[in-house]
Amino acid sequence: MKKILGLIASQRKLANGEILTKEVAAAAGNDCQLELLRLADLKLDMCRGCYACLTPGKQCPVDDDLYFLVEKIKAADGIILAAPCYALGPAAVTKVLGDRIIALAQLIDDLWGKPCVVIATAGIEGWEGYTLSALNAMARFMGFGLKDSHMFMGALPGEGILGEGALFRAREMGQALFGQARRAGEGECPTCWSEIWKFPQPGTAVCPICGQIANLVAGEKGIQWVYGDSSSMFNKEQLKHHFQGWLRGKVQEFISRRKELAVVRDRYKGNEPWLITPRGIK
């Protein structure tokens, strides 16, 4: 029996993401068992930037449910991540979790390649913003093997599965979870599937998520996108180098430069009259 862990970012019960997650899981196969976890039910605090988790053998010192979630992910054979679009981006709890990537990346060997599909939902086409690109990047940062992702439309609870082609697409995603990954769609970065591009100079496009470069060439059929080689930051070696190597090196650099940097920081130290704190907190 394969275990599927559904990570639901909406606080609404039986929201579109939860309904779609159940459809996707059902299509993954009769030998699959779904377990749902609402991220909003967990105590997930913000990263403090203390870098304590970078010490080999040490965990993040924040006392919350991060490692409970990690154990659930490690025990699962596949992951479904579902989040609604709020203010053009995914629900805030996904960002809180994503910001704990320094601690999570220390466990990259345990999480690497875990098959995952991403479900995003939005109320109206044109207002989905960067939601899907952000969720895809989050899944890749956590080392998951992203098999499929899709933006579903539906403002009201239950509408997401009623849209044209939605049920077919959900079942297609379920088959992809333990099957073959989809290819990048039209307009998506071929490396990370981001829908967002920067144009630093005429004729050149750069993916701001993974750094994929494309040259825009005029041809008989209009503008053609010619992609260069990708050195994606989302491969295992790059992730381990950044989060287990480079960052640890910066910690050692800070220790060696502590006195020098303290001189700079002390200039801005003091009981600033402009600092506002709620309810008298100091």
Side-chain angles (χ1 to χ4, degrees):
M1 182 69 69
K2 294 178 181 177
K3 295 181 180 179
I4 299 174
L5 179 63
L7 301 177
I8 311 297
S10 176
Q11 296 193 58
R12 177 182 281 165
K13 305 300 188 291
L14 274 181
N16 285 314
E18 182 175 332
I19 292 170
L20 288 159
T21 293
K22 291 175 178 176
E23 277 292 348
V24 169
N30 295 328
D31 61 338
C32 295
Q33 182 179 18
L34 175 65
E35 185 176 45
L36 286 181
L37 187 56
R38 293 190 176 94
L39 293 176
D41 289 343
L42 300 179
K43 183 178 186 292
L44 291 173
D45 293 331
M46 292 184 288
C47 176
R48 298 174 185 170
C50 67
Y51 289 174
C53 63
L54 291 173
T55 302
K58 297 289 186 179
Q59 290 190 341
C60 173
V62 176
D63 185 15
D64 65 359
D65 293 327
L66 180 68
Y67 291 104
F68 166 82
L69 175 58
V70 166
E71 291 305 313
K72 287 294 183 182
I73 293 173
K74 288 165 63 174
D77 298 298
I79 306 295
I80 302 174
L81 174 62
C85 170
Y86 292 161
L88 305 182
V93 68
T94 62
K95 186 67 170 77
V96 173
L97 175 59
D99 279 355
R100 303 292 290 280
I101 187 59
I102 298 177
L104 293 170
Q106 308 311 308
L107 307 169
I108 197 74
D109 288 329
D110 296 321
L111 307 180
W112 186 257
K114 190 83 64 172
C116 173
V117 297
V118 165
I119 295 169
T121 62
I124 183 171
E125 192 168 352
W127 286 73
E128 63 269 33
Y130 61 92
T131 302
L132 192 60
S133 295
L135 292 172
N136 287 345
M138 175 181 167
R140 294 188 188 278
F141 259 132
M142 294 179 71
F144 297 156
L146 189 57
K147 295 300 195 72
D148 204 346
S149 66
H150 188 75
M151 171 63 72
F152 294 85
M153 295 296 164
L156 305 178
E159 272 193 323
I161 199 67
L162 298 178
E164 184 178 355
L167 183 58
F168 173 82
R169 190 70 183 87
R171 291 173 176 171
E172 192 174 51
M173 294 175 74
Q175 294 168 7
L177 182 59
F178 297 115
Q180 186 173 359
R182 75 165 173 86
R183 299 175 64 86
E186 184 176 357
E188 293 180 335
C189 170
T191 301
C192 72
W193 302 354
S194 170
E195 302 170 311
I196 306 168
W197 291 94
K198 295 190 300 185
F199 299 90
Q201 59 190 34
T204 302
V206 178
C207 173
I209 305 296
C210 73
Q212 171 72 61
I213 297 176
N215 293 316
L216 280 59
V217 181
E220 295 181 359
K221 297 182 180 180
I223 300 295
Q224 304 295 311
W225 289 60
V226 181
Y227 299 104
D229 293 336
S230 171
S231 56
S232 173
M233 68 176 66
F234 295 119
N235 66 53
K236 190 176 183 180
E237 291 71 25
Q238 287 274 35
L239 289 173
K240 293 186 77 168
H241 169 73
H242 181 79
F243 290 107
Q244 297 182 13
W246 183 82
L247 276 178
R248 288 176 184 171
K250 297 305 289 184
V251 171
Q252 295 304 312
E253 180 184 348
F254 175 71
I255 292 172
S256 66
R257 299 180 61 194
R258 186 189 298 270
K259 292 182 179 180
E260 169 198 345
L261 295 172
V263 173
V264 177
R265 299 172 72 201
D266 284 347
R267 298 173 193 161
Y268 302 92
K269 192 176 181 180
N271 205 7
E272 300 92 345
W274 55 81
L275 181 63
I276 298 173
T277 57
R279 297 179 296 278
I281 296 175
K282 295 183 179 180

